[in-house]
């Protein structure tokens, strides 16, 4: 490969300037001409039949233009199970479910009118615990579940509230446990948390009766999928729908799917062509948008005395909340690798996505990996302790290496796990473990390993245009959610067209003109869209070379391209700028456009009975993170002193950006480890829907962060790249849990590790020791 | 009830009518059209809406328009000096202090307030000053580094 000039370099972000000046326009900032303001009435009941809704008073309120309820919009949507109405129909299934909406001349009027809508409910039993919700006798939260439209791979469970039952069957776990010298069995719990992107949710919509077109402006991380879902729900041709993406103020998985969009769309059909904006405030964002799956994980592991893993059996209840959203795929892709990145001959996993009467769980940075790792990686440490083995040593004995066949039957390649393990543990001086430095404070170290698949198979397509000035415009459907894709994709185009970064710009995201992209999720963009932009850039370059060939009187193979110029390899002074070539060939307004598309084709589909697949993911991300903590024995307070994170990224297209992704992911993970939880009472009410009561990590709480990039090239990836958006978060809680156990000699099974939980664990141990 | 208010906004004298209960944040974003100041919570818990009021950082979601009479307000749009970025803006660009950028205007205004008072802050000073400004993307490390770098830039300028 020729030497890379832009790829692999620490290029600063291309979008930094507009962000530091306040010029960047986010979805929440957008004002449209003649716009109306929408407000939503949310359910106050977690599970109830709607006996009556009356909207007369709201409709009569001066300044109100439209009031809609479920009766006006008889549509349902859902990524893999079509179970969610645009507005509640007949019943409500969680507190915060949109029931009705108002569009008015201003926000105050809309809010006042919402208060005038009367709803009469008849209570039904409320389920807040996923295990309870699928016990026999529990009533169906979705009576019509069997009738819902579903995608092919859905396997409903035995109970009506199990939306998906994932099964993995390898070997014979009973036999494996029999052959083991030690068998451990424990229950772990991960609570519901929220993405808490700093920009709350909003959507704008407009329906033009004359053209029959529906336009939606929304910071959605998967506009093409959202477009598809709306088209399907409404029975509208896709060409009649257009998504325009303003900038997105963070997402972490929360901004895919449909949340505010259906409300804006419902109103837009009743406003006589005027656009309507629906904004959720922070509290509404907390109760009505998406959350991360709470999970109850039962893990049973058998090992030989020498630490060789023999069998692992896991049963995971994924709390889906009131609607399926992404639960089936979180259940599948989170349960599949939950036993961890290890060679295990006998494996059995049952993952259940269970409906409850809580806010809807969706995709969340890490997509099910943190929950499995919280259980599996802590149990690995517990086993090491019982066998009196070093935690690194037991991992080294069992971890996946190049060429291993995974327990789901896939031969693995580009496995950089071992290097991440060695480097992350070395970075915190693993071998050197002082347990007490200050009186009353215990120190400990711990780490965790993960392997993460990406959504497969999927497609990304891109266009690259070169104008007569030699400016490059990239058309790509990857959404800049803060992760830095605009910089990465610009680097790819600059690399392939051999132009300086300043010559490249990204086209705004508009589904009318931008080629298809599956989604900005699952850490898939650098790999998939990187490949697509690379192909499109090469396609454009080839056209330019071909056009330049007669101009320079040379064969294309004798031409080269550097620094925005095409020239003769052996006579570099014979050169034309890219822009000049375009102008001469296509005239003063001419443009060369290259197109490229990349689809990862899955090998065999996941077998629904065994969970086996010979190629379940386009690529796998591998990481190890290690933490050093101190725990105050009197208060139970944990302080993280330093945290290392070694990630196999395949190839770092932009090392600066890699570190940015790692640091952000690690710190988000620290929040979920130490204090984040959505506190939901027995009635299904979220008790802490504000930043005052739901604690995010602040600038006071972050430890020293040591980011380590490991490059084990993925042959199919652009320049060898994999992905990195999610894995920074995934092993963080388990690494901290292991460090706390090391410090205290106490294993804590439930997240978060908030001071009171740690305090009581210490007290209980003291009592036990005394007895 | 509408009331006439007069205040200075980014160096310009501004007169307008607004209900006394209107929040400064809404006034800036909805009435004046300066959307650089962000809304993250509306309840004083995130710092995204930070602006300078008479040189001091405030959460604009907690300031009523009735309090504005005679005040001097500086928003993110007023941070540039002519076409030049302020030192702290420059440092955020260089160090990667902004990812999604939604917390960035608030972070910058808070940092500006800190640096105006103390151009030689310790790391702890910076962490403390920014502790009311939430960022969900960066993990804060690059932000803290950017403020340190901005401080160094300011000091070296002052020496010159
Ligand atoms: S919007 Fe003002 S503090 Fe959050
Ligand atoms: S950069 Fe996204 S919240 Fe700070």
């Amino acid at each position: 490969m020729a030497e890379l000039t832009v790829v692999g370099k620490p290029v600063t972000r291309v979008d930094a300037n507009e962000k530091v000046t306040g010029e960047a326009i986010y979805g929440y900032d957008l004002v449209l001409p003649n716009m109306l303001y929408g407000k939503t009435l949310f359910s106050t009941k977690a599970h109830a039949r709607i006996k009556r809704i009356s909207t007369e008073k709201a409709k009569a309120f001066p300044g109100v233009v439209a009031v809609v309820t479920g009766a006006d919009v008889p549509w349902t949507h859902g990524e893999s199970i079509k179970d969610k109405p645009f507005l509640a129909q007949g019943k409500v299934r969680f507190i915060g479910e949109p029931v009705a909406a108002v569009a008015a001349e201003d926000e105050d009027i809309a809010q006042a009118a919402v208060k005038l809508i009367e709803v009469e409910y008849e209570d039904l039993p409320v389920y807040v615990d996923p295990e309870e919700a699928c016990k026999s006798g529990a009533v169906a939260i979705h009576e019509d579940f069997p009738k819902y439209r579903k995608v092919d791979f859905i396997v409903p469970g035995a109970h009506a509230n199990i939306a998906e039952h994932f099964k993995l069957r390898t070997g014979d776990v009973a036999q494996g446990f029999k052959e083991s010298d030690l068998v451990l069995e424990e229950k772990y719990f991960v609570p519901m948390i929220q993405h808490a992107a700093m920009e709350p949710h909003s959507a704008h919509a407009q329906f033009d009766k004359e053209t029959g077109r529906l336009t939606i402006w929304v910071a959605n991380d998967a506009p093409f999928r959202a477009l598809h879902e709306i088209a399907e729900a409404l029975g509208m041709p896709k060409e009649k729908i257009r998504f325009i993406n303003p900038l997105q103020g963070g997402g972490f998985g929360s901004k895919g799917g449909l949340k505010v969009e259906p409300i804006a769309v419902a109103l837009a059909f009743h406003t006589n062509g005027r656009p309507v904006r629906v904004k959720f405030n922070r509290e509404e964002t907390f109760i009505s948008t998406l959350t991360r799956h709470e999970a109850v994980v039962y893990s049973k592991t058998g090992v030989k005395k020498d630490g060789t893993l023999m069998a692992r059996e896991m049963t995971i209840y994924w709390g889906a909340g009131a609607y399926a959203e992404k639960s089936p795929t979180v259940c599948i892709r989170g349960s599949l690798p939950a036993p961890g990145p290890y060679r295990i001959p006998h494996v059995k996993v049952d993952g259940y996505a269970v409906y409850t009467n809580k806010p809807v769980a969706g995709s969340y940075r890490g997509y099910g990996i943190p929950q499995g790792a919280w259980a599996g990686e802590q149990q690995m440490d517990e086993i090491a302790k019982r066998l009196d083995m070093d935690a690194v040593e037991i991992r080294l004995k069992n971890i996946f290496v190049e060429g291993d066949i995974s327990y789901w039957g896939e031969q693995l390649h580009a496995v950089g796990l071992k290097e991440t393990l060695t480097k992350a543990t070395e970075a915190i001086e693993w071998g050197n473990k002082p347990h007490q430095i200050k009186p009353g404070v215990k120190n400990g170290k711990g780490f965790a390993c993960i392997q993460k698949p990406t959504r497969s198979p999927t497609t990304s397509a891109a266009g690259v245009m070169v104008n007569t000035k030699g400016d490059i415009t990239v058309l790509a459907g990857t959404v800049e959610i803060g992760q830095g894709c605009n910089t990465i994709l610009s680097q790819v185009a600059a690399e392939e067209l051999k132009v300086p970064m300043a010559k490249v710009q990204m086209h705004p995201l508009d589904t009318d003109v931008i080629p298809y992209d599956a989604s900005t999720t699952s850490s898939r963009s650098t790999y998939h869209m990187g490949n697509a932009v690379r192909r499109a850039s090469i396609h454009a370059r080839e056209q330019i070379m071909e056009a330049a060939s007669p101009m320079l009187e040379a064969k294309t193979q004798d031409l080269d391209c550097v620094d925005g110029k095409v020239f003769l390899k052996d006579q570099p002074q014979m050169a034309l700028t890219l822009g000049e070539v375009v102008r001469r060939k296509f005239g003063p307004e001419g443009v060369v456009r290259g197109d490229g598309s990349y689809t990862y084709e899955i090998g065999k589909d996941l077998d629904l009975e065994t969970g086996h697949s010979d190629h379940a993911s386009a690529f796998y991300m591998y990481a190890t993170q290690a933490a050093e903590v101190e725990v105050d024995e009197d208060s139970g307070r944990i302080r993280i002193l330093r945290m290392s994170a070694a990630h196999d990224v395949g190839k770092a297209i932009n090392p600066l950006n890699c570190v940015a992704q790692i640091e952000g992911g690690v710190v988000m993970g620290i929040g979920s480890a130490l204090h984040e939880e959505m506190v939901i009472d027995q009635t299904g009410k979220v008790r802490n829907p504000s930043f005052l009561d739901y604690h995010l990590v602040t600038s006071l709480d972050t430890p020293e962060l040591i980011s380590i990039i490991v490059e084990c090239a993925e042959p199919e990836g652009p320049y060898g790249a994999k992905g990195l958006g999610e894995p920074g978060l995934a092993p963080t809680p388990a690494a901290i849990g292991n460090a706390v156990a090391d410090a205290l000699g106490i294993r804590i099974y439930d997240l978060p590790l908030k001071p009171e939980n740690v305090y009581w664990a210490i007290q209980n141990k003291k009592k036990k020791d005394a007895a | 009830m509408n009331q006439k208010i007069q205040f200075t906004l980014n160096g310009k004298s501004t007169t307008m009518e607004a209900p006394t209960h209107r929040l400064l944040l809404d006034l800036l974003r909805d009435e004046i059209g300066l959307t650089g100041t962000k809304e993250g919570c509306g309840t004083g818990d995130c710092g995204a809406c930070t602006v300078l009021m008479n040189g001091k950082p405030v959460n604009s979601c907690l300031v009523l328009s009735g309090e504005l009479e005679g005040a001097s307000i500086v928003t993110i749009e007023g941070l540039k000096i002519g076409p030049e970025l302020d030192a702290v803006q420059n440092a955020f660009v260089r160090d990667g202090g902004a990812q999604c950028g939604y917390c960035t205007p608030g972070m910058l205004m808070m940092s500006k307030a800190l640096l105006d008072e103390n151009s030689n802050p310790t790391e702890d000073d910076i962490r403390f000053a920014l502790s009311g400004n939430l960022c969900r993307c960066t993990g804060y490390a690059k932000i803290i580094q950017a403020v340190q770098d901005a401080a160094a830039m300011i000091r070296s300028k002052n020496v010159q």
Side-chain angles (χ1 to χ4, degrees):
Chain A
M1 198 191 292
E3 206 175 308
L4 298 171
T5 53
V6 191
V7 161
K9 303 287 183 284
V11 176
T12 51
R13 293 182 69 107
V14 297
D15 56 356
N17 223 70
E18 57 164 353
K19 287 177 174 174
V20 301
T21 53
E23 283 157 24
I25 300 290
Y26 295 79
Y28 219 62
D29 300 331
L30 194 66
V31 175
L32 298 171
N34 205 21
M35 163 178 104
L36 292 167
Y37 298 79
K39 273 281 169 196
T40 310
L41 177 74
F42 299 94
S43 168
T44 53
K45 298 282 184 182
H47 197 194
R49 236 169 267 297
I50 299 174
K51 292 184 70 183
R52 180 182 66 89
I53 304 187
S54 57
T55 57
E56 287 72 31
K57 284 185 204 153
K59 279 184 178 149
F61 196 76
V64 168
V65 174
V67 180
V68 289
T69 69
D72 303 301
V73 283
W75 310 309
T76 54
H77 68 91
E79 186 187 41
S80 46
I81 299 174
K82 313 289 165 203
D83 61 355
K84 185 147 196 259
F86 276 42
L87 293 167
Q89 284 176 25
K91 71 184 276 193
V92 289
R93 298 179 175 89
F94 72 103
I95 295 177
E97 177 163 1
V99 172
V102 173
E105 297 295 342
D106 76 29
E107 206 125 27
D108 292 345
I109 297 173
Q111 189 58 62
V114 157
K115 290 202 177 123
L116 297 175
I117 300 172
E118 291 160 18
V119 189
E120 206 182 306
Y121 294 106
E122 179 186 297
D123 285 320
L124 292 166
V126 173
Y127 298 98
V128 292
D129 176 344
E131 278 187 283
E132 291 297 321
C134 60
K135 283 208 173 120
S136 67
V139 307
I141 293 170
H142 291 264
E143 296 91 334
D144 290 334
F145 183 78
K147 285 192 234 151
Y148 290 155
R149 277 179 302 141
K150 305 174 186 76
V151 294
D152 298 343
F153 59 77
I154 297 293
V155 181
H159 191 285
N161 286 335
I162 299 176
E164 163 70 17
H165 177 190
F166 169 79
K167 282 183 272 186
L168 182 71
R169 303 287 183 263
T170 299
D172 175 357
V173 280
Q175 186 62 29
F177 291 130
K178 220 188 280 165
E179 291 169 15
S180 299
D181 297 315
L182 171 73
V183 176
L184 273 190
E185 192 172 0
E186 275 126 356
K187 177 184 175 184
Y188 297 83
F189 175 69
V190 179
M192 176 179 278
I193 60 174
Q194 193 166 66
H195 314 70
M198 291 316 296
E199 181 198 17
H201 291 243
S202 65
H204 298 58
Q206 180 173 30
F207 180 66
D208 184 333
K209 266 201 191 118
E210 259 153 53
T211 60
R213 290 209 90 196
L214 176 65
T215 306
I216 297 151
W217 294 258
V218 60
N220 186 303
D221 65 29
F224 290 92
R225 190 178 64 224
L227 190 157
H228 173 85
E229 251 189 67
I230 289 187
E232 215 180 23
L234 270 56
M236 241 170 117
K238 281 196 200 174
E239 311 75 67
K240 291 282 182 199
I241 306 174
R242 175 182 186 189
F243 268 71
I244 297 174
N245 270 58
L247 207 59
Q248 183 169 324
F252 317 107
S254 68
K255 286 179 179 160
L258 305 178
K259 300 86 35 198
V260 192
E261 295 85 341
I263 304 167
V265 168
L267 287 169
F269 283 109
H270 296 85
T271 56
N272 247 325
R274 289 176 71 180
V276 56
R277 166 174 100 183
V278 182
K279 272 166 110 176
F280 279 4
N281 62 26
R282 181 55 60 183
E283 181 176 347
E284 294 166 347
T285 296
F286 262 112
I287 66 167
S288 190
T289 65
L290 297 177
T291 67
R292 186 177 84 177
H293 291 78
E294 62 180 323
V296 181
V297 186
Y298 292 91
S299 182
K300 181 175 175 185
T301 308
V303 279
K304 287 282 197 199
K305 262 199 222 99
D306 68 356
T308 307
L309 287 171
M310 292 304 293
R312 195 159 231 193
E313 180 174 0
M314 289 177 122
T315 305
I316 312 176
Y317 295 90
W318 303 93
Y323 293 97
E325 230 304 297
K326 295 256 188 104
S327 289
T329 50
V330 169
C331 175
I332 294 168
R333 291 211 296 277
S335 301
L336 173 86
Y342 304 109
R343 290 183 298 272
I344 317 172
H346 306 284
V347 177
K348 183 174 181 226
V349 180
D350 287 280
Y352 302 99
V354 188
Y355 285 124
T356 63
N357 296 114
K358 287 185 177 177
V360 182
S363 62
Y364 192 114
R365 195 178 207 174
Y367 219 79
I369 302 301
Q371 291 94 328
W374 171 247
E377 283 299 279
Q378 288 213 90
Q379 199 161 54
M380 284 299 286
D381 263 36
E382 205 50 43
I383 289 166
K385 194 176 154 198
R386 307 272 177 110
L387 294 176
D388 202 20
M389 263 180 98
D390 183 81
V392 171
E393 196 190 327
I394 194 169
R395 301 300 201 295
L396 285 174
K397 214 176 173 81
N398 295 287
I399 53 169
F400 285 146
V401 294
E402 196 68 29
D404 274 347
I405 308 283
S406 67
Y407 42 81
W408 58 92
E410 172 175 355
Q411 183 160 32
L412 301 171
H413 65 270
V415 186
L417 182 58
K418 189 173 166 189
E419 196 179 335
T420 68
L421 170 59
T422 316
K423 291 197 164 152
T425 47
E426 269 171 16
I428 63 155
E429 299 155 273
W430 176 254
N432 167 19
K433 288 209 269 183
H435 281 119
Q436 187 118 33
I437 299 167
K438 298 181 221 159
V441 176
K442 289 272 173 68
N443 288 56
K445 293 181 184 179
F447 68 92
C449 304
I450 57 121
Q451 173 191 28
K452 189 187 177 301
T454 187
R455 179 178 175 221
S456 306
T458 60
T459 296
S460 290
V464 167
M465 301 197 296
V466 186
N467 70 10
T468 54
K469 288 203 239 101
D471 298 328
I472 316 294
T473 303
V474 179
L475 295 91
T478 299
V479 182
E480 178 58 74
I481 56 179
Q483 85 284 41
C485 67
N486 283 359
T487 308
I488 301 293
L489 299 173
S490 298
Q491 281 179 268
V492 171
E495 183 66 54
E496 294 303 335
L497 284 154
K498 305 295 173 199
V499 297
M501 277 293 281
K503 281 289 206 186
V504 185
Q505 58 165 359
M506 301 298 296
H507 193 287
L509 214 170
D510 174 343
T511 57
D512 267 8
V513 294
I514 298 287
Y516 173 84
D517 176 52
S519 59
T520 305
T521 61
S522 212
S523 312
R524 62 176 292 283
S525 299
T526 297
Y527 176 98
H528 291 86
M529 190 57 86
N531 271 330
V533 170
R534 189 180 190 191
R535 288 178 179 184
S537 304
I538 292 171
H539 184 215
R541 189 182 69 206
E542 284 169 355
Q543 293 173 62
I544 289 171
M545 294 288 218
E546 221 149 89
S549 156
M551 297 175 200
L552 291 167
E553 295 172 8
K555 293 202 188 99
T556 48
Q557 61 266 36
D558 297 331
L559 296 177
D560 205 351
C561 202
V562 165
D563 212 15
K565 291 195 194 87
V566 187
F567 57 89
L568 255 65
K569 278 179 195 162
D570 51 5
Q571 274 173 278
Q573 73 282 7
M574 293 288 291
L576 287 171
T577 63
L578 298 188
E580 183 63 15
V581 176
V582 177
R583 191 189 60 78
R584 283 211 213 162
K585 174 85 181 176
F586 298 104
E589 301 301 329
V591 169
V592 162
R593 175 171 170 144
D595 286 288
S597 151
Y598 181 84
T599 301
Y600 176 78
E601 290 296 349
I602 206 157
K604 259 193 248 124
D605 275 351
L606 222 61
D607 181 277
L608 297 182
E609 281 309 308
T610 64
H612 284 217
S613 163
D614 62 358
H615 222 146
S617 173
F619 59 90
Y620 291 92
M621 293 160 270
Y622 297 94
T624 305
Q625 292 183 186
E628 180 177 10
V629 303
E630 61 179 37
V631 188
D632 182 280
E633 286 187 290
D634 289 333
S635 65
R637 232 185 104 88
I638 296 166
R639 208 162 79 91
I640 300 166
L641 301 174
R642 53 179 167 170
M643 182 123 203
S644 67
H647 288 257
D648 171 14
V649 304
K651 162 79 186 170
I653 304 260
N654 184 337
L656 262 187
N657 208 61
C658 286
V659 171
Q661 281 299 297
I662 294 172
E663 287 180 348
V666 169
V667 169
M668 201 170 181
I670 289 175
S672 69
L674 298 189
H675 37 72
E676 285 182 45
E677 62 180 327
M678 287 179 74
V679 179
I680 298 177
D681 67 20
Q682 290 304 312
T683 70
K685 192 172 168 62
V686 181
R687 307 303 312 199
N688 57 343
S690 74
F691 287 145
L692 189 62
D693 296 315
Y694 183 96
H695 293 172
L696 302 185
V697 175
T698 75
S699 57
L700 293 174
D701 319 314
T702 59
E704 177 194 347
L705 301 170
I706 309 158
S707 303
I708 301 158
I709 295 171
V710 169
E711 293 182 319
C712 185
E714 163 60 50
E716 274 275 294
Y719 318 96
K722 299 176 183 170
L724 182 62
E726 299 166 283
L729 186 146
T732 307
I736 294 171
N738 282 336
V740 170
D742 179 48
L744 297 175
I746 303 171
R747 179 72 50 191
I748 299 174
Y749 299 94
D750 295 358
L751 279 175
L753 299 166
K754 52 185 178 182
E756 55 263 50
N757 292 1
V758 178
Y759 173 83
W760 285 115
I762 295 169
Q763 295 309 314
N764 289 341
K765 172 148 191 283
K766 276 191 187 154
K767 251 190 245 155
K768 237 204 220 147
D769 288 350
Chain B
M1 198 191 58
N2 271 12
Q3 183 200 35
K4 198 169 139 195
I5 37 173
Q6 192 177 7
F7 62 106
T8 309
L9 178 59
N10 295 330
K12 274 199 219 108
S13 168
T14 306
T15 310
M16 62 188 301
E17 294 239 336
T20 43
H21 71 274
R22 180 73 79 235
L23 303 171
L24 172 56
L25 174 66
D26 295 336
L27 209 62
L28 290 170
R29 288 172 55 82
D30 297 343
E31 320 261 325
I32 303 173
L34 292 182
T35 55
T37 303
K38 299 302 177 206
E39 177 174 357
C41 67
T43 50
D45 301 316
C46 78
C49 65
T50 307
V51 300
L52 301 185
M53 184 169 178
N54 302 325
K56 296 268 178 272
V58 293
N59 286 329
S60 62
C61 70
L62 299 181
V63 175
L64 299 174
S65 63
E67 302 171 66
L68 283 178
E69 189 59 35
S72 165
I73 302 294
V74 180
T75 70
I76 186 69
E77 289 90 349
L79 199 54
K80 270 209 233 173
I81 317 134
E84 295 284 306
L85 293 182
D86 184 83
V88 70
Q89 288 173 308
N90 259 319
F92 267 62
V93 171
R94 254 205 337 267
D95 294 339
Q99 288 189 19
C100 84
Y102 200 78
C103 70
T104 308
M107 285 285 180
L108 286 167
M109 298 317 286
M110 189 55 90
S111 305
K112 174 76 178 161
L114 168 72
L115 295 173
D116 280 351
E117 240 177 40
N118 175 6
S119 63
N120 198 6
T122 63
E123 184 184 324
D124 281 348
D125 291 339
I126 298 170
R127 285 181 183 268
F128 187 75
L130 298 179
S131 61
N133 290 69
L134 298 175
C135 173
R136 194 57 156 166
C137 298
T138 63
Y140 303 103
K142 297 287 178 277
I143 292 176
I144 294 165
Q145 189 191 329
V147 179
Q148 282 169 327
D149 287 353
M153 265 191 281
I154 292 166
R155 289 197 305 274
S156 75
K157 236 198 202 144
N158 289 349
V159 170
Q160 287 164 20

